Amino acid sequence: MNLLALPAFADNYIWMLHDGARAVVVDPGDAAPVLDALDRLSLQLFGILVTHHHGDHTGGVDRLRRRLQGPVYGPARERIPSPFTPLNEGDVVQVLGLTFAVVDVPGHTAGHIAYVQQGAAPEGLLFCGDTLFSAGCGRLFEGTPAQMHQSLSKLGALAADTRVCCTHEYTLSNLRFAANVEPDNTVLARHRAHCEALRAQGLPTLPSSIGLECMINPFLRCTEPAVVAAAQAQGAAGTSPVAVLAALREWKNRF
Ligand code: ZN
Ligand code: FE
């Protein structure tokens, strides 16, 4: 199975899985990069997975339907282009012979879902939309810090080698923020240099892995003493993980 990050808009990725003949895409905000890839690689489109309702994740769905020979899957509790197969936590999706479990990850939007590959060891796939970014997390447009903390905790508990397929190339700016939160985190500093080199060559910094994110992503590290102290210095309302996450998110919003 091949995994491609198709660049879209200024900093989105549309993830495409294909086996040389059949493809599925995740969060096609724009149809054009998907149609280009289908034509270039002579692929048939067998499914679309959507994580949440925002236009930069759904805007290409209707234009892709004429090429689609399978379902559009999306979150049951959000309005995405109809018709689609509505999914809730615990549902299972089969595409291209792969199995994904649906996990509710509210916070960025109220009904946001993530797709977690099942039965894949090593290096299962996670499609997490705008919930978990490398070294960051999505803005809290429709959810609370407590919801985001619970959502990120679910993702952070996945196998360390899980490949994290986020929908935006925000890694360098997130790492700049993370380095401010944890100036003494050497893993973070090393990874930042690595990502700067990748971006200088025009390469994606993704997919990341859960194990790496647990070491560099401040939003997954809300109980680390250095992160708690940094959040306290920014006026966190207490030392609970939710208070720390809330303070980090506010700080990042104005960073
Ligand atoms: Zn979004
Ligand atoms: Fe987005």
Side-chain angles (χ1 to χ4, degrees):
M1 195 63 63
N2 303 284
L3 177 68
L4 302 177
L6 308 177
F9 308 118
D11 52 31
N12 284 64
Y13 291 125
I14 300 167
W15 292 96
M16 173 181 273
L17 279 169
H18 77 83
D19 62 8
R22 303 171 305 157
V24 298
V25 290
V26 185
D27 286 349
D30 187 4
V34 177
L35 294 169
D36 284 352
L38 293 173
D39 291 341
R40 181 164 39 88
L41 300 167
S42 304
L43 303 170
Q44 311 253 7
L45 185 61
F46 271 77
I48 295 176
L49 308 181
V50 171
T51 63
H52 69 291
H53 68 85
H54 287 159
D56 65 314
H57 300 249
T58 59
V61 169
D62 281 334
R63 256 191 80 205
L64 290 172
R65 285 188 202 275
R66 64 190 167 79
R67 294 286 288 271
L68 182 61
Q69 302 180 43
V72 175
Y73 294 100
R77 294 183 293 126
E78 299 206 342
R79 283 172 62 122
I80 73 157
S82 281
F84 73 102
T85 302
L87 299 173
N88 289 291
E89 170 121 354
D91 286 344
V92 166
V93 174
Q94 309 258 12
V95 283
L96 307 188
L98 307 181
T99 305
F100 291 88
V102 175
V103 179
D104 281 337
V105 286
H108 177 67
T109 63
H112 200 305
I113 59 173
Y115 298 86
V116 181
Q117 191 182 356
Q118 303 294 288
E123 302 198 336
L125 293 161
L126 165 66
F127 296 110
C128 50
D130 288 354
T131 299
L132 174 63
F133 293 127
S134 185
C137 73
R139 285 177 184 261
L140 301 179
F141 288 123
E142 299 172 10
T144 64
Q147 285 177 316
M148 183 56 101
H149 178 257
Q150 197 190 0
S151 297
L152 291 177
S153 298
K154 285 183 190 173
L155 301 182
L158 297 173
D161 64 3
T162 303
R163 283 176 287 173
V164 180
C165 302
C166 326
T167 326
H168 289 273
E169 181 61 70
Y170 291 159
T171 310
L172 287 188
S173 73
N174 286 340
L175 285 167
R176 192 169 63 85
F177 174 74
N180 253 267
V181 178
E182 288 190 273
D184 298 329
N185 183 332
T186 54
V187 177
L188 196 163
R190 222 178 312 127
H191 187 62
R192 190 179 178 193
H194 173 64
C195 288
E196 280 169 354
L198 288 173
R199 295 307 293 151
Q201 299 170 70
L203 297 172
T205 61
L206 303 170
S208 183
S209 73
I210 289 295
L212 177 65
E213 292 307 314
C214 287
M215 291 190 285
I216 65 163
N217 190 323
F219 296 92
L220 290 176
R221 295 168 61 78
C222 291
T223 58
E224 281 295 314
V227 176
V228 175
Q232 291 287 104
Q234 294 292 322
T239 57
S240 73
V242 172
V244 169
L245 185 141
L248 289 177
R249 190 56 262 181
E250 293 275 314
W251 181 10
K252 177 69 165 66
N253 290 349
R254 43 174 212 273
F255 186 74

